[in-house]
Amino acid sequence: MAKILWADDEIDLLKPHILFLTQKGYDVTTVSNGRDALDALSTEQFSLILLDENMPGLSGLETLTLIHQSHPEIPVIMITKSEEENIMNQAIGNKISDYLIKPVNPNQILLSIKKNLHSGEIVAKTVSSDYQQEFQKISQQINMAQTIDDWYDLYRSLVFWELKLAQTDTNMDELLSLQKRDANVGFCKFVKREYEGWVATDDHPLMSHEIFKRRVFPELDKGEKVFVILIDNFRFDQWRVIQPMLSEFYNFNEELYTTILPTSTQYARNAIFAGLMPLEISKMFPDLWVEEDEDEGKNIHEEELIRSQLNRFRRKEKFSYNKINDTAGGDKLLAKLKQLDDNELNVVVLNFIDMLSHARTESKMIRELANSDAAYRSLTESWFRHSSAYDLFRRLAEKGYKVIVTTDHGTIRVDNPIKVIGDKNTNTNLRYKVGKSLNYNKKQVYEMTNPGRFGLPAPNLSSTFIYALNEDFFSYPNNYNYYVGYYTGTFQHGGISLQEMLVPLVTLTPK
């Protein structure tokens, strides 16, 4: 039974209210002034306090301050006859849980109590019930999905419920995880069936190499000054947790697009900036393409690739390119924003999420902090809230820039090892492999034995690309148990899943 302390100098007039609350199962202790309220708090434990603002001796606001000093965890509902804005502001500034103006009826008080003491339980019950009703509909979506738009809609639904269930204490998380797994099984079959046709024809969804042509250039043609912010390794659910922080400054046009394969920086991000499939980049700009077996960094020519795309489309816009790897880099960009005002196009790469993903693999502490998708999102939200990236978005809104936010690929938490054998030149990525002598179970992967038909350059004539599906990851037989234990539960990219391939593309217009 929840215990409530009610402090009011007219407490005798409130007996009908107290009786009503008692009948609803609450234990109500009454006092007639602030000093007695503090004395009661020193001897008993209470779940909530109802506090009159206008009492003799200690005022309600003075009592509120002392309560917060000694019992900051107890929610306080202030009740007052005054409608003066100054008193309301002082009460809100002191972080009251609710504010009611007399005369109040018992149901008003009950509603406020439920909101502060039982909202979590009530919301969890409602969300759980709503998801159970939606479960069958989502299952039907999985079974009926035939087009990429069907998969976009389904993925949006899954992310919506994932975020909603994560905010409540329900037992539905496991059920949703099973649905996500079923959805990924269906999506992988869909990609295996459709991907080659997407590359070979114009009948395909919006893909990595078309982002500038179909989304950035049209904004420039309207005379907009555009900032393209590419957040590496950024999933749709992560976008959804930072979106509320930007809603004060922007209106959103949100969509999903489909990344090319492999879903890795070397291929997908270079395709975005060049406006070409990787095979075309390697043929047209061999100096700007780094092969898998070369030691050189795989994304060191991004500015040149952007310039090549602008030149190919005969665009004359002045542009800048900045890659931000840490807080100091973000602060430097903020300091030189004014210098970028003359550019029609500015491109920024934010690498934090990618670094977090790698740290999640390599650091025991980060592994513990990000031990689930929900925790991974929470770290993303915390980073963004306190980062120079948040300040960048705010400043760009003030300057009136149109901002396009996207990513090169997402990431998935892997938990099922798949054995593969390759020679010493085989790449190290856990979600895709490329080599000339790979040994694997064909039923467990998506294979490309002729990479050129999929828009990919082949290091050797006999090179094959294979991709891990769903939550699988590749592991070599040597030291198998060690590597399986080390990589299980880590976030990886490069393969085929909803989380890796269906990623956010959002146009932000300043309010």
Side-chain angles (χ1 to χ4, degrees):
M1 180 183 294
K3 294 189 66 174
I4 294 173
L5 175 63
W6 196 336
D8 194 305
D9 62 330
E10 298 176 331
I11 199 69
D12 290 340
L13 302 178
L14 297 170
K15 286 182 179 179
H17 297 64
I18 296 166
L19 179 61
F20 174 79
L21 294 179
T22 301
Q23 291 172 343
K24 292 294 182 180
Y26 297 101
D27 181 0
V28 183
T29 297
T30 62
V31 294
S32 59
N33 58 74
R35 184 59 60 189
D36 287 348
L38 295 170
D39 290 342
L41 283 168
S42 67
T43 59
E44 294 184 68
Q45 291 186 338
F46 293 95
S47 303
L48 180 140
I49 300 169
L50 297 166
L51 182 63
D52 183 27
E53 185 275 322
N54 187 20
M55 294 186 293
L58 285 175
S59 70
L61 290 172
E62 291 169 333
T63 305
L64 175 64
T65 299
L66 294 172
I67 289 172
H68 279 327
Q69 290 176 5
S70 59
H71 296 84
E73 77 285 357
I74 302 178
V76 178
I77 299 170
M78 180 159 281
I79 303 175
T80 178
K81 292 179 180 177
S82 175
E83 296 186 37
E84 292 183 23
E85 186 175 355
N86 178 52
I87 292 176
M88 291 184 190
N89 289 342
Q90 289 183 63
I92 294 169
N94 278 284
K95 296 184 178 179
I96 58 165
S97 300
D98 208 347
Y99 190 93
L100 303 178
I101 297 176
K102 292 182 178 179
V104 291
N105 65 53
N107 279 315
Q108 278 181 285
I109 296 173
L110 179 63
L111 178 62
S112 186
I113 291 172
K114 281 182 174 288
K115 183 171 68 175
N116 284 283
L117 291 185
H118 310 298
S119 62
E121 175 187 339
I122 294 170
V123 169
K125 186 176 180 180
T126 302
V127 169
S128 179
S129 175
D130 290 348
Y131 173 64
Q132 289 180 58
Q133 294 178 34
E134 195 75 6
F135 177 86
Q136 190 61 39
K137 179 181 176 182
I138 294 174
S139 296
Q140 290 175 350
Q141 281 184 282
I142 295 172
N143 294 328
M144 300 293 290
Q146 296 293 322
T147 68
I148 192 63
D149 288 331
D150 293 338
W151 288 107
Y152 287 156
D153 291 341
L154 171 61
Y155 186 43
R156 288 189 184 97
S157 295
L158 290 169
V159 168
F160 172 81
W161 285 107
E162 186 174 15
L163 297 179
K164 199 160 187 176
L165 290 171
Q167 297 170 0
T168 61
D169 184 16
T170 70
N171 59 356
M172 295 290 108
D173 290 11
E174 186 173 347
L175 189 60
L176 180 64
S177 295
L178 292 173
Q179 278 204 315
K180 284 170 59 181
R181 195 163 295 164
D182 287 345
N184 262 325
V185 170
F187 179 69
C188 290
K189 291 178 181 178
F190 172 74
V191 171
K192 291 169 71 173
R193 186 174 65 246
E194 300 290 339
Y195 189 80
E196 185 175 358
W198 290 347
V199 176
T201 70
D202 292 331
D203 185 16
H204 56 243
L206 178 62
M207 298 179 76
S208 310
H209 59 297
E210 301 170 315
I211 297 300
F212 270 67
K213 177 182 177 182
R214 293 176 57 181
R215 291 297 180 269
V216 179
F217 293 162
E219 295 296 338
L220 293 171
D221 290 339
K222 296 176 190 174
E224 298 281 0
K225 298 182 73 171
V226 178
F227 249 82
V228 175
I229 300 181
L230 188 147
I231 305 176
D232 192 14
N233 219 2
F234 190 50
R235 298 193 317 203
F236 183 54
D237 59 331
Q238 291 172 304
W239 156 251
R240 280 290 177 89
V241 297
I242 73 168
Q243 179 185 8
M245 287 181 269
L246 296 174
S247 60
E248 177 182 354
F249 314 118
Y250 295 99
N251 294 314
F252 307 103
N253 180 20
E254 177 192 279
E255 59 183 316
L256 295 170
Y257 85 89
T258 305
T259 67
I260 66 164
L261 294 174
T263 48
S264 69
T265 298
Q266 176 185 0
Y267 295 91
R269 194 153 90 203
N270 284 339
I272 291 173
F273 289 149
L276 299 166
M277 290 293 283
L279 178 60
E280 296 172 307
I281 301 173
S282 68
K283 288 181 176 180
M284 295 173 63
F285 307 102
D287 294 341
L288 303 182
W289 180 258
V290 182
E291 296 291 353
E292 287 276 3
D293 56 358
E294 295 181 43
D295 294 331
E296 190 178 359
K298 303 296 192 286
N299 57 342
I300 59 175
H301 300 298
E302 294 175 350
E303 183 172 4
E304 295 98 317
L305 290 173
I306 295 169
R307 183 174 290 108
S308 75
Q309 181 171 187
L310 291 172
N311 290 339
R312 200 169 69 255
F313 283 95
R314 295 181 172 83
R315 303 201 67 95
K316 304 300 183 183
E317 287 89 358
K318 289 178 61 179
F319 82 98
S320 73
Y321 166 83
N322 289 275
K323 184 182 294 185
I324 309 301
N325 293 314
D326 52 32
T327 301
D331 291 340
K332 287 180 181 177
L333 177 61
L334 288 172
K336 69 173 186 179
L337 266 187
K338 187 170 179 57
Q339 301 173 29
L340 306 180
D341 284 346
D342 291 337
N343 299 332
E344 292 89 353
L345 173 64
N346 295 286
V347 180
V348 178
V349 173
L350 298 179
N351 263 351
F352 176 83
I353 305 296
D354 187 56
M355 290 188 291
L356 174 62
S357 176
H358 290 300
R360 171 67 181 80
T361 299
E362 299 162 6
S363 166
K364 183 178 179 181
M365 181 183 71
I366 300 296
R367 286 170 80 107
E368 292 174 354
L369 286 174
N371 61 358
S372 66
D373 283 321
Y376 191 47
R377 286 192 298 270
S378 180
L379 280 180
T380 303
E381 180 181 15
S382 180
W383 156 72
F384 188 78
R385 186 180 300 279
H386 303 289
S387 72
S388 56
Y390 177 78
D391 292 331
L392 175 63
F393 278 95
R394 179 179 56 79
R395 293 274 299 278
L396 294 179
E398 292 170 355
K399 286 175 168 288
Y401 277 100
K402 183 71 67 77
V403 180
I404 296 175
V405 178
T406 192
T407 186
D408 42 4
H409 55 79
T411 187
I412 188 168
R413 190 170 184 267
V414 298
D415 65 8
N416 185 46
I418 299 296
K419 287 185 179 180
V420 62
I421 299 174
D423 62 25
K424 63 180 182 180
N425 294 320
T426 304
N427 65 313
T428 59
N429 188 287
L430 300 185
R431 291 281 290 168
Y432 81 94
K433 296 291 181 186
V434 54
K436 62 181 179 179
S437 55
L438 298 177
N439 192 321
Y440 50 90
N441 183 340
K442 292 186 177 183
K443 294 181 179 179
Q444 295 178 315
V445 304
Y446 178 37
E447 64 175 0
M448 297 177 179
T449 56
N450 186 343
R453 286 165 47 190
F454 299 85
L456 298 174
N460 297 281
L461 290 176
S462 56
S463 291
T464 293
F465 281 78
I466 61 171
Y467 301 90
L469 311 173
N470 313 315
E471 297 168 357
D472 299 345
F473 67 97
F474 294 125
S475 184
Y476 296 118
N478 297 339
N479 296 321
Y480 181 78
N481 290 331
Y482 169 78
Y483 284 106
V484 166
Y486 187 79
Y487 288 113
T488 295
T490 62
F491 290 90
Q492 302 293 333
H493 60 269
I496 301 175
S497 67
L498 291 162
Q499 294 93 321
E500 290 164 289
M501 289 191 71
L502 306 189
V503 292
L505 175 60
V506 189
T507 301
L508 286 64
T509 304
K511 287 186 174 178

